[in-house]
mmCIF file of all heavy atoms in Angstrom:
data_model
loop_
_atom_site.group_PDB
_atom_site.id
_atom_site.type_symbol
_atom_site.label_atom_id
_atom_site.label_comp_id
_atom_site.label_asym_id
_atom_site.label_seq_id
_atom_site.Cartn_x
_atom_site.Cartn_y
_atom_site.Cartn_z
ATOM 1 N N PRO A 1202 108.378 91.887 110.788
ATOM 2 C CA PRO A 1202 107.585 92.654 111.614
ATOM 3 C C PRO A 1202 107.676 92.271 113.144
ATOM 4 O O PRO A 1202 107.740 91.048 113.422
ATOM 5 C CB PRO A 1202 106.184 92.449 111.028
ATOM 6 C CG PRO A 1202 106.390 92.020 109.668
ATOM 7 C CD PRO A 1202 107.714 91.259 109.674
ATOM 8 N N GLY A 1203 107.647 93.277 113.990
ATOM 9 C CA GLY A 1203 107.687 92.924 115.457
ATOM 10 C C GLY A 1203 109.191 92.976 115.966
ATOM 11 O O GLY A 1203 109.355 93.010 117.173
ATOM 12 N N ASP A 1204 110.191 93.085 115.060
ATOM 13 C CA ASP A 1204 111.540 93.180 115.451
ATOM 14 C C ASP A 1204 111.821 94.594 116.046
ATOM 15 O O ASP A 1204 111.755 95.590 115.364
ATOM 16 C CB ASP A 1204 112.430 92.947 114.266
ATOM 17 C CG ASP A 1204 113.971 92.980 114.622
ATOM 18 O OD1 ASP A 1204 114.245 93.314 115.762
ATOM 19 O OD2 ASP A 1204 114.693 92.701 113.730
ATOM 20 N N HIS A 1205 112.125 94.600 117.330
ATOM 21 C CA HIS A 1205 112.357 95.889 118.025
ATOM 22 C C HIS A 1205 113.740 96.526 117.662
ATOM 23 O O HIS A 1205 113.853 97.664 117.938
ATOM 24 C CB HIS A 1205 112.285 95.699 119.518
ATOM 25 C CG HIS A 1205 110.870 95.393 119.991
ATOM 26 N ND1 HIS A 1205 109.889 96.329 120.227
ATOM 27 C CD2 HIS A 1205 110.279 94.182 120.236
ATOM 28 C CE1 HIS A 1205 108.755 95.762 120.613
ATOM 29 N NE2 HIS A 1205 109.041 94.457 120.627
ATOM 30 N N ASP A 1206 114.638 95.701 117.160
ATOM 31 C CA ASP A 1206 115.980 96.264 116.848
ATOM 32 C C ASP A 1206 116.149 96.765 115.474
ATOM 33 O O ASP A 1206 117.196 97.361 115.200
ATOM 34 C CB ASP A 1206 116.984 95.133 117.155
ATOM 35 C CG ASP A 1206 117.034 94.655 118.615
ATOM 36 O OD1 ASP A 1206 116.775 95.548 119.425
ATOM 37 O OD2 ASP A 1206 117.238 93.481 118.836
ATOM 38 N N THR A 1207 115.248 96.534 114.613
ATOM 39 C CA THR A 1207 115.389 96.982 113.218
ATOM 40 C C THR A 1207 114.619 98.179 112.928
ATOM 41 O O THR A 1207 113.423 98.270 113.171
ATOM 42 C CB THR A 1207 114.944 95.846 112.220
ATOM 43 O OG1 THR A 1207 115.723 94.662 112.487
ATOM 44 C CG2 THR A 1207 115.076 96.262 110.835
ATOM 45 N N VAL A 1208 115.294 99.277 112.377
ATOM 46 C CA VAL A 1208 114.644 100.498 112.047
ATOM 47 C C VAL A 1208 114.684 100.536 110.465
ATOM 48 O O VAL A 1208 115.730 100.334 109.911
ATOM 49 C CB VAL A 1208 115.434 101.761 112.586
ATOM 50 C CG1 VAL A 1208 114.777 102.923 112.083
ATOM 51 C CG2 VAL A 1208 115.272 101.680 114.136
ATOM 52 N N LEU A 1209 113.503 100.695 109.989
ATOM 53 C CA LEU A 1209 113.340 100.686 108.467
ATOM 54 C C LEU A 1209 113.146 102.072 107.940
ATOM 55 O O LEU A 1209 112.668 102.975 108.680
ATOM 56 C CB LEU A 1209 112.021 99.847 108.183
ATOM 57 C CG LEU A 1209 112.007 98.478 108.612
ATOM 58 C CD1 LEU A 1209 110.659 97.869 108.509
ATOM 59 C CD2 LEU A 1209 113.048 97.651 107.820
ATOM 60 N N SER A 1210 113.600 102.357 106.718
ATOM 61 C CA SER A 1210 113.535 103.643 106.083
ATOM 62 C C SER A 1210 112.741 103.409 104.784
ATOM 63 O O SER A 1210 113.235 102.597 103.912
ATOM 64 C CB SER A 1210 114.893 104.189 105.793
ATOM 65 O OG SER A 1210 114.824 105.428 105.095
ATOM 66 N N VAL A 1211 111.643 104.079 104.599
ATOM 67 C CA VAL A 1211 110.797 103.967 103.447
ATOM 68 C C VAL A 1211 111.357 104.629 102.231
ATOM 69 O O VAL A 1211 111.781 105.763 102.238
ATOM 70 C CB VAL A 1211 109.336 104.535 103.677
ATOM 71 C CG1 VAL A 1211 108.501 104.302 102.485
ATOM 72 C CG2 VAL A 1211 108.736 103.905 104.831
ATOM 73 N N LEU A 1212 111.461 103.832 101.173
ATOM 74 C CA LEU A 1212 111.943 104.426 99.883
ATOM 75 C C LEU A 1212 110.720 104.762 99.045
ATOM 76 O O LEU A 1212 110.644 105.866 98.466
ATOM 77 C CB LEU A 1212 112.838 103.377 99.064
ATOM 78 C CG LEU A 1212 114.105 103.009 99.676
ATOM 79 C CD1 LEU A 1212 114.799 102.014 98.808
ATOM 80 C CD2 LEU A 1212 115.050 104.240 99.904
ATOM 81 N N SER A 1213 109.661 103.930 98.934
ATOM 82 C CA SER A 1213 108.486 104.237 98.113
ATOM 83 C C SER A 1213 107.320 103.373 98.564
ATOM 84 O O SER A 1213 107.472 102.397 99.263
ATOM 85 C CB SER A 1213 108.815 103.993 96.646
ATOM 86 O OG SER A 1213 109.059 102.591 96.424
ATOM 87 N N MET A 1214 106.193 103.778 98.060
ATOM 88 C CA MET A 1214 104.932 103.034 98.168
ATOM 89 C C MET A 1214 104.314 103.009 96.811
ATOM 90 O O MET A 1214 104.015 104.096 96.243
ATOM 91 C CB MET A 1214 104.079 103.694 99.266
ATOM 92 C CG MET A 1214 102.732 102.900 99.473
ATOM 93 S SD MET A 1214 101.812 103.580 100.839
ATOM 94 C CE MET A 1214 101.263 105.128 100.242
ATOM 95 N N THR A 1215 104.068 101.880 96.267
ATOM 96 C CA THR A 1215 103.486 101.841 94.923
ATOM 97 C C THR A 1215 102.225 100.871 94.878
ATOM 98 O O THR A 1215 102.060 100.074 95.774
ATOM 99 C CB THR A 1215 104.596 101.265 93.862
ATOM 100 O OG1 THR A 1215 105.001 99.956 94.347
ATOM 101 C CG2 THR A 1215 105.655 102.202 93.831
ATOM 102 N N PHE A 1216 101.489 101.001 93.836
ATOM 103 C CA PHE A 1216 100.320 100.185 93.654
ATOM 104 C C PHE A 1216 100.441 99.426 92.372
ATOM 105 O O PHE A 1216 100.771 100.067 91.297
ATOM 106 C CB PHE A 1216 99.055 101.031 93.636
ATOM 107 C CG PHE A 1216 97.765 100.143 93.434
ATOM 108 C CD1 PHE A 1216 97.360 99.205 94.300
ATOM 109 C CD2 PHE A 1216 97.103 100.367 92.258
ATOM 110 C CE1 PHE A 1216 96.270 98.410 94.096
ATOM 111 C CE2 PHE A 1216 95.944 99.496 91.946
ATOM 112 C CZ PHE A 1216 95.556 98.592 92.962
ATOM 113 N N GLU A 1217 100.320 98.090 92.386
ATOM 114 C CA GLU A 1217 100.290 97.240 91.193
ATOM 115 C C GLU A 1217 98.867 96.779 90.984
ATOM 116 O O GLU A 1217 98.388 95.896 91.754
ATOM 117 C CB GLU A 1217 101.184 96.108 91.391
ATOM 118 C CG GLU A 1217 102.691 96.446 91.525
ATOM 119 C CD GLU A 1217 103.598 95.256 91.750
ATOM 120 O OE1 GLU A 1217 103.144 94.120 91.984
ATOM 121 O OE2 GLU A 1217 104.823 95.505 91.781
ATOM 122 N N PRO A 1218 98.198 97.303 90.019
ATOM 123 C CA PRO A 1218 96.760 96.986 89.866
ATOM 124 C C PRO A 1218 96.604 95.456 89.293
ATOM 125 O O PRO A 1218 97.450 94.975 88.658
ATOM 126 C CB PRO A 1218 96.239 97.943 88.780
ATOM 127 C CG PRO A 1218 97.530 98.449 88.097
ATOM 128 C CD PRO A 1218 98.628 98.309 89.102
ATOM 129 N N ALA A 1219 95.442 94.949 89.736
ATOM 130 C CA ALA A 1219 95.097 93.592 89.189
ATOM 131 C C ALA A 1219 93.657 93.745 88.636
ATOM 132 O O ALA A 1219 93.273 94.896 88.227
ATOM 133 C CB ALA A 1219 95.130 92.553 90.317
ATOM 134 N N GLU A 1220 92.910 92.718 88.700
ATOM 135 C CA GLU A 1220 91.529 92.734 88.112
ATOM 136 C C GLU A 1220 90.522 93.457 89.014
ATOM 137 O O GLU A 1220 90.550 93.290 90.218
ATOM 138 C CB GLU A 1220 91.034 91.325 87.903
ATOM 139 C CG GLU A 1220 91.889 90.584 86.855
ATOM 140 C CD GLU A 1220 91.416 89.186 86.566
ATOM 141 O OE1 GLU A 1220 90.334 88.842 87.138
ATOM 142 O OE2 GLU A 1220 92.122 88.361 85.970
ATOM 143 N N GLU A 1221 89.635 94.158 88.412
ATOM 144 C CA GLU A 1221 88.477 94.774 89.050
ATOM 145 C C GLU A 1221 88.819 95.569 90.390
ATOM 146 O O GLU A 1221 88.091 95.379 91.407
ATOM 147 C CB GLU A 1221 87.444 93.676 89.304
ATOM 148 C CG GLU A 1221 86.906 93.124 88.037
ATOM 149 C CD GLU A 1221 85.827 92.011 88.287
ATOM 150 O OE1 GLU A 1221 85.175 92.035 89.383
ATOM 151 O OE2 GLU A 1221 85.670 91.210 87.341
ATOM 152 N N GLY A 1222 89.802 96.392 90.343
ATOM 153 C CA GLY A 1222 90.137 97.281 91.419
ATOM 154 C C GLY A 1222 91.075 96.564 92.525
ATOM 155 O O GLY A 1222 91.483 97.264 93.431
ATOM 156 N N THR A 1223 91.273 95.302 92.416
ATOM 157 C CA THR A 1223 92.202 94.653 93.422
ATOM 158 C C THR A 1223 93.591 94.908 92.912
ATOM 159 O O THR A 1223 93.927 95.546 91.884
ATOM 160 C CB THR A 1223 91.910 93.108 93.430
ATOM 161 O OG1 THR A 1223 92.300 92.551 92.144
ATOM 162 C CG2 THR A 1223 90.496 92.765 93.811
ATOM 163 N N GLY A 1224 94.549 94.511 93.790
ATOM 164 C CA GLY A 1224 95.943 94.723 93.443
ATOM 165 C C GLY A 1224 96.871 94.575 94.685
ATOM 166 O O GLY A 1224 96.418 93.906 95.688
ATOM 167 N N ALA A 1225 98.022 95.161 94.572
ATOM 168 C CA ALA A 1225 98.997 95.038 95.643
ATOM 169 C C ALA A 1225 99.622 96.464 95.939
ATOM 170 O O ALA A 1225 99.963 97.209 94.990
ATOM 171 C CB ALA A 1225 100.056 94.018 95.345
ATOM 172 N N ILE A 1226 99.724 96.716 97.119
ATOM 173 C CA ILE A 1226 100.368 97.983 97.599
ATOM 174 C C ILE A 1226 101.741 97.414 98.127
ATOM 175 O O ILE A 1226 101.833 96.542 98.918
ATOM 176 C CB ILE A 1226 99.640 98.762 98.690
ATOM 177 C CG1 ILE A 1226 98.363 99.234 98.067
ATOM 178 C CG2 ILE A 1226 100.522 99.812 99.280
ATOM 179 C CD1 ILE A 1226 97.345 99.932 99.100
ATOM 180 N N ILE A 1227 102.792 98.006 97.568
ATOM 181 C CA ILE A 1227 104.151 97.609 97.863
ATOM 182 C C ILE A 1227 104.850 98.732 98.609
ATOM 183 O O ILE A 1227 104.997 99.836 98.104
ATOM 184 C CB ILE A 1227 105.021 97.218 96.596
ATOM 185 C CG1 ILE A 1227 104.244 96.355 95.748
ATOM 186 C CG2 ILE A 1227 106.358 96.645 97.070
ATOM 187 C CD1 ILE A 1227 104.052 94.981 96.120
ATOM 188 N N LEU A 1228 105.355 98.391 99.886
ATOM 189 C CA LEU A 1228 106.198 99.352 100.592
ATOM 190 C C LEU A 1228 107.554 98.833 100.387
ATOM 191 O O LEU A 1228 107.985 97.660 100.846
ATOM 192 C CB LEU A 1228 105.794 99.265 102.041
ATOM 193 C CG LEU A 1228 104.480 100.011 102.442
ATOM 194 C CD1 LEU A 1228 104.070 99.661 103.940
ATOM 195 C CD2 LEU A 1228 104.630 101.470 102.372
ATOM 196 N N THR A 1229 108.441 99.660 99.915
ATOM 197 C CA THR A 1229 109.859 99.224 99.638
ATOM 198 C C THR A 1229 110.693 100.045 100.649
ATOM 199 O O THR A 1229 110.584 101.328 100.750
ATOM 200 C CB THR A 1229 110.259 99.632 98.183
ATOM 201 O OG1 THR A 1229 109.374 98.930 97.319
ATOM 202 C CG2 THR A 1229 111.705 99.135 97.978
ATOM 203 N N PHE A 1230 111.677 99.333 101.254
ATOM 204 C CA PHE A 1230 112.486 99.943 102.283
ATOM 205 C C PHE A 1230 114.011 99.909 101.798
ATOM 206 O O PHE A 1230 114.382 99.052 101.023
ATOM 207 C CB PHE A 1230 112.428 99.186 103.606
ATOM 208 C CG PHE A 1230 110.968 99.144 104.161
ATOM 209 C CD1 PHE A 1230 110.144 98.124 103.900
ATOM 210 C CD2 PHE A 1230 110.562 100.207 104.844
ATOM 211 C CE1 PHE A 1230 108.897 98.059 104.393
ATOM 212 C CE2 PHE A 1230 109.187 100.220 105.411
ATOM 213 C CZ PHE A 1230 108.327 99.175 105.114
ATOM 214 N N ALA A 1231 114.777 100.810 102.346
ATOM 215 C CA ALA A 1231 116.204 100.805 102.048
ATOM 216 C C ALA A 1231 116.746 99.430 102.563
ATOM 217 O O ALA A 1231 116.268 98.880 103.526
ATOM 218 C CB ALA A 1231 116.937 101.943 102.853
ATOM 219 N N GLY A 1232 117.743 98.906 101.884
ATOM 220 C CA GLY A 1232 118.427 97.665 102.225
ATOM 221 C C GLY A 1232 117.584 96.446 101.678
ATOM 222 O O GLY A 1232 117.721 95.391 102.164
ATOM 223 N N ASP A 1233 116.850 96.623 100.650
ATOM 224 C CA ASP A 1233 116.156 95.555 99.931
ATOM 225 C C ASP A 1233 115.019 94.945 100.662
ATOM 226 O O ASP A 1233 114.605 93.798 100.272
ATOM 227 C CB ASP A 1233 117.189 94.456 99.493
ATOM 228 C CG ASP A 1233 118.175 94.927 98.528
ATOM 229 O OD1 ASP A 1233 117.840 95.820 97.784
ATOM 230 O OD2 ASP A 1233 119.284 94.482 98.568
ATOM 231 N N GLY A 1234 114.364 95.601 101.687
ATOM 232 C CA GLY A 1234 113.291 95.042 102.361
ATOM 233 C C GLY A 1234 112.026 95.483 101.652
ATOM 234 O O GLY A 1234 111.942 96.575 100.989
ATOM 235 N N ALA A 1235 110.945 94.701 101.762
ATOM 236 C CA ALA A 1235 109.667 95.116 101.146
ATOM 237 C C ALA A 1235 108.516 94.398 101.870
ATOM 238 O O ALA A 1235 108.697 93.328 102.462
ATOM 239 C CB ALA A 1235 109.682 94.724 99.634
ATOM 240 N N ILE A 1236 107.346 95.024 101.793
ATOM 241 C CA ILE A 1236 106.121 94.451 102.318
ATOM 242 C C ILE A 1236 105.099 94.582 101.164
ATOM 243 O O ILE A 1236 104.901 95.694 100.658
ATOM 244 C CB ILE A 1236 105.599 95.194 103.598
ATOM 245 C CG1 ILE A 1236 106.604 94.913 104.707
ATOM 246 C CG2 ILE A 1236 104.233 94.630 103.981
ATOM 247 C CD1 ILE A 1236 106.223 95.641 105.996
ATOM 248 N N LYS A 1237 104.507 93.493 100.815
ATOM 249 C CA LYS A 1237 103.460 93.444 99.811
ATOM 250 C C LYS A 1237 102.072 93.226 100.534
ATOM 251 O O LYS A 1237 101.860 92.261 101.215
ATOM 252 C CB LYS A 1237 103.709 92.305 98.786
ATOM 253 C CG LYS A 1237 102.678 92.249 97.661
ATOM 254 C CD LYS A 1237 102.990 91.041 96.724
ATOM 255 C CE LYS A 1237 101.965 90.958 95.703
ATOM 256 N NZ LYS A 1237 102.248 89.825 94.805
#
């Protein structure tokens, strides 16, 4: 994050549920990048 030279392309956005409504939202990008 903050890299001005890298352009990311979104492949998907998913939700992995955990306990009591918590969980993780995963943004997956082309080229094997991801943000959890």
Side-chain angles (χ1 to χ4, degrees):
D1204 181 355
H1205 292 277
D1206 296 326
T1207 301
V1208 176
L1209 303 167
S1210 179
V1211 179
L1212 295 178
S1213 66
M1214 182 171 68
T1215 56
F1216 177 67
E1217 295 178 354
E1220 296 178 11
E1221 299 183 21
T1223 65
I1226 294 172
I1227 312 290
L1228 289 166
T1229 305
F1230 301 97
D1233 296 326
I1236 296 177
K1237 179 180 179 184

